[in-house]
Amino acid sequence: MSLLDRLQTLEQEALTGLQKCNSPTELESLYHDILGKKGELTEILKGIKDLSPEEKKEAGSRANEIRANLEKQFKDGQIKLKEKELEAKLQSELYDALRPIPPRPGRLHPISEVQYQVEAIFSSMGFRIMDGPEVETDQSNFGALNFSDDHPARDMQDTIWVEGGNLLRTHTSTVQVRSMKVLKPPFRIIAPGRVFRFEQTDASHETTFHQVEGMMVDREVSVSHLIYVMKTFLRQYFEKDVEVRLRPGYFPFVEPGFELDFSCLVCGGSGCSVCKHSGWVEIMPCGLVHPNVLSAGGIDPTKWQGFAFGLGLSRLVMMRHKIEDIRHLLSGNLRFLKAFESAGASRVSEKS
Ligand code: FA5
C-alpha cells in the first residue's frame, strides 16, 4: 500500500474510532495512539524519506491536512464527551427537594422488645405491671428490704448517691416496697425498670441496666409456687426447655433465697466472656419474702406469705440475641441497633 493510501486509511480509522469513544479518557488514549509523538501518523511518515521529491511534497501536504482535520475532530469530540459526562454526573446528583421521602418504620429497642414479651407472659399468669421512681429513698432501696443501716449486704450493690441523701435505685426491689403500700393482698406484680450501680463494667456488667422485679403475696405461698412460675415463664419465653440451676443465694429480703442461673446461651455453655467461662449466667435471684419485709410493707406475715424474684432483663436480652457484650445495649450505636428487626411485640397493658 502506498504511503498516501496508508494516510487515507489512517484518517478513516481515526474518524471511525472517534465515533465509538464513550468517554474523554477513551478519546485521549485514541488520540495518543494516532497523533501522539510515537503515534501511527509519525510511524507512517517515517517512510517519506524514500519518496521522490514530488511525492514527498504531496505526502507532506496530505499529512498536514489529515493532522489538522483530526486535531479538530478530536478537540470537538473531547468537548462533546466532557459535556456528556458532566450532564450524567449532574443528573445522578440531582436533589429533588420535593421528592417524597419513603417512611422509615421505627423499631423497638431489643430491651423494650424483650420487656414487652416478659410483661405479656406474666400478665397471662395474672401479674399486674407496676412502676416506681428511679431516684429513691434509702428506706425503699434498703431499709424496708431488711437491710439495717450497717448491714454488710449493702455493699453487695454499689450505690450512686444523689443530693439530699437519696440514691439511684440499685434494684427494682424498691417496687416491692411501693406495691405493698398501695395494693391489698393477695396480689401478683412485676415491675420492669432501669437500675443503676457504681460498678466496674465488663461483658456482663453495666452501670445502668434493666431488671424485672416479681412479687406474689397470698395466703399460702411456697417454694413450689415460685419454681412453677419460673418454669412456666422460661418455657413460654424460650419456647423450649432451657437448662437452669437453682442454688442457695443470700439477700436480706428473702428467706430462703436462691440464685437461678441459665446455661449460657451465648456460647452454648462452653464458656465465653459473658459467663466468665463458667458456662452459667446469673439471671434470676429469688426467694420467699422475708417476714420483716412484709411487716415493713404493712402486711401481716402470720397471715400472708410471698415469693419475689429479680430478673436480669439486660442479660435475658443478651441470651435471646447472643449479644457478647452488655455494653452494646445502651451504647446508642445505630449499627448495632439496626441489626435488630422488631418482632412486632407490643405492650400488653398500660402500667398501673
Ligand atoms: C438483686 O438486684 C435483687 N434485688 C434480686 C432479687 C429480687 C433477689 C427479689 C431476691 C428476690 P442482684 O444484685 O443479684 O440481685 O441482681 C439481680 C440480677 O440483675 C442478676 O442476676 C443479674 O442478672 C443482673 N445484674 C446484676 N448486676 C448487674 C450489672 N452490673 N449489669 C447487668 N446485670 C446485672
Side-chain angles (χ1 to χ4, degrees):
M1 198 193 288
S2 76
L3 194 138
L4 275 176
D5 288 345
R6 284 177 70 198
L7 284 174
Q8 197 61 34
T9 313
L10 178 71
E11 186 178 28
Q12 274 317 311
E13 277 173 6
L15 291 173
T16 319
L18 193 56
Q19 295 301 321
K20 289 188 186 152
C21 283
N22 282 320
S23 71
T25 349
E26 254 180 60
L27 184 140
E28 247 167 59
S29 135
L30 184 66
Y31 177 91
H32 180 79
D33 290 347
I34 293 172
L35 298 173
K37 265 190 192 159
K38 293 182 183 163
E40 285 178 47
L41 183 61
T42 316
E43 202 53 40
I44 294 174
L45 290 179
K46 278 182 188 165
I48 211 163
K49 60 180 187 319
D50 305 324
L51 300 180
S52 68
E54 256 158 50
E55 283 173 331
K56 257 188 203 161
K57 205 172 156 205
E58 194 186 351
S61 91
R62 184 74 189 109
N64 285 342
E65 257 173 48
I66 289 178
R67 181 180 285 283
N69 180 33
L70 289 183
E71 287 283 0
K72 180 166 181 334
Q73 298 293 340
F74 272 93
K75 202 168 165 201
D76 293 352
Q78 185 71 314
I79 291 170
K80 274 193 199 132
L81 284 173
K82 281 197 171 155
E83 274 171 2
K84 214 170 123 190
E85 197 177 61
L86 182 66
E87 180 68 18
K89 189 163 179 261
L90 288 176
Q91 204 59 37
S92 73
E93 287 173 359
L94 191 67
Y95 178 70
D96 176 3
L98 297 176
R99 180 171 51 102
I101 297 168
R104 275 196 307 171
R107 41 182 83 136
L108 287 174
H109 189 282
I111 295 180
S112 310
E113 185 194 313
V114 171
Q115 179 186 323
Y116 296 169
Q117 286 168 354
V118 171
E119 288 178 359
I121 295 171
F122 279 104
S123 292
S124 75
M125 289 192 273
F127 284 73
R128 70 193 273 189
I129 301 161
M130 299 291 281
D131 200 1
E134 292 177 342
V135 176
E136 266 293 7
T137 59
D138 180 283
Q139 176 64 9
S140 289
N141 198 82
F142 292 123
L145 289 166
N146 204 28
F147 292 82
S148 55
D149 283 350
D150 53 358
H151 201 297
R154 279 172 174 255
D155 295 341
M156 283 160 62
Q157 299 180 358
D158 298 306
T159 308
I160 298 170
W161 296 92
V162 296
E163 281 175 5
N166 288 333
L167 49 81
L168 296 184
R169 66 178 177 189
T170 57
H171 52 181
T172 44
S173 299
T174 50
V175 190
Q176 285 188 35
V177 177
R178 291 183 173 271
S179 302
M180 284 187 287
K181 285 189 187 148
V182 294
L183 299 176
K184 282 199 170 31
F187 64 79
R188 303 168 195 187
I189 60 107
I190 58 162
R194 234 171 18 152
V195 302
F196 310 85
R197 293 193 193 171
F198 188 58
E199 298 200 357
Q200 195 152 13
T201 65
D202 61 27
S204 57
H205 290 85
E206 250 294 18
T207 50
T208 301
F209 59 100
H210 289 72
Q211 292 185 333
V212 181
E213 195 72 11
M215 185 184 209
M216 173 171 164
V217 176
D218 213 318
R219 289 285 180 200
E220 280 175 13
V221 175
S222 69
V223 175
S224 342
H225 294 108
L226 171 63
I227 292 176
Y228 172 78
V229 169
M230 300 277 169
K231 277 194 170 163
T232 308
F233 164 69
L234 292 175
R235 203 174 311 114
Q236 287 199 25
Y237 181 79
F238 286 106
E239 293 173 341
K240 63 174 185 183
D241 282 329
V242 177
E243 215 184 325
V244 296
R245 69 177 185 191
L246 202 62
R247 56 194 169 92
Y250 174 72
F251 301 89
F253 38 97
V254 286
E255 179 56 40
F258 306 100
E259 288 281 2
L260 187 123
D261 306 333
F262 282 10
S263 164
C264 181
L265 299 179
V266 174
C267 62
S270 60
C272 67
S273 55
V274 174
C275 62
K276 302 216 168 59
H277 303 281
S278 69
W280 294 95
V281 182
E282 276 180 25
I283 285 275
M284 199 144 75
C286 51
L288 296 187
V289 182
H290 196 290
N292 291 352
V293 174
L294 291 172
S295 298
I299 295 174
D300 182 350
T302 62
K303 295 192 177 132
W304 302 97
Q305 289 143 20
F307 70 67
F309 59 83
L311 169 65
L313 183 65
S314 307
R315 291 194 188 161
L316 192 65
V317 177
M318 294 171 78
M319 297 297 115
R320 155 70 48 104
H321 294 295
K322 296 195 184 339
I323 296 168
E324 86 299 347
D325 196 314
I326 192 171
R327 289 167 291 197
H328 292 314
L329 283 176
L330 298 181
S331 65
N333 179 342
L334 286 180
R335 272 217 333 237
F336 167 77
L337 291 173
K338 277 188 182 144
F340 295 93
E341 288 296 335
S342 163
S346 61
R347 193 134 219 195
V348 281
S349 62
E350 285 306 309
K351 287 191 173 189
S352 316

